[in-house]
Amino acid sequence: MTLTGMGGVGKTRLALEVAAASREAFADGVWLVGLAPVSDPSAVATTAAGALRVPDLGALPYMDQLTGYLAGRRALLVLDNCEHLVDACAELAGTLLSAAPELRILATSRHTLGVTGEPGLRPRAACAGRGGGTAAGPGHRRPA
């Protein structure tokens, strides 16, 4: 799933809240891959491997190391700030999801990644006067 919207709407905050609330559902881990500082699309897999602390096997490309590490694991991977690396993030997500059927990916971006079966959700800014926070579209209720 990709949380989409313009900058400042609360995509990252919502993704972090979802990740925290989902920890019990993902016995093998929940990881955040912060992509804001990454400028080179070829560094997306390396950045993800570093965030997951995948042991570096040297001879294998990072994408292969990631797929081997995540295969068979029930995990959540949060790819944050994908907008400037959409193609590389889409490739990473597609490859990992094909290799690891129990993996779930939650991405934040100004645009969807375009991965097959990808649902998108546009977070809305919180209602005026309710103080910071976000709502997640129809049916989402904020605590009082």
Side-chain angles (χ1 to χ4, degrees):
M1 171 178 277
T2 302
L3 301 174
T4 61
M6 58 190 225
V9 74
K11 298 178 298 288
T12 296
R13 183 175 177 173
L14 180 58
L16 293 175
E17 288 180 21
V18 168
S22 301
R23 286 191 189 274
E24 289 184 26
F26 296 99
D28 295 315
V30 172
W31 292 280
L32 172 66
V33 180
L35 295 168
V38 178
S39 59
D40 182 359
S42 68
V44 169
T46 306
T47 302
L52 275 70
R53 295 192 172 116
V54 175
D56 186 1
L57 302 177
L60 290 176
Y62 281 105
M63 189 71 83
D64 293 342
Q65 293 181 45
L66 279 167
T67 57
Y69 184 76
L70 291 169
R73 293 181 190 252
R74 182 161 181 73
L76 173 64
L77 189 60
V78 178
L79 301 177
D80 189 36
N81 291 304
C82 297
E83 51 273 342
H84 61 295
L85 302 161
V86 170
D87 292 339
C89 289
E91 180 184 354
L92 176 71
T95 300
L96 294 179
L97 291 169
S98 293
E102 295 297 316
L103 175 67
R104 299 296 178 260
I105 295 178
L106 177 60
T108 68
S109 179
R110 293 182 184 184
H111 312 283
T112 59
L113 301 183
V115 177
T116 302
E118 170 190 23
L121 178 65
R122 288 184 154 275
R124 297 180 307 201
C127 297
R130 296 205 71 190
T134 60
H140 178 79
R141 297 170 57 204
R142 288 174 38 104

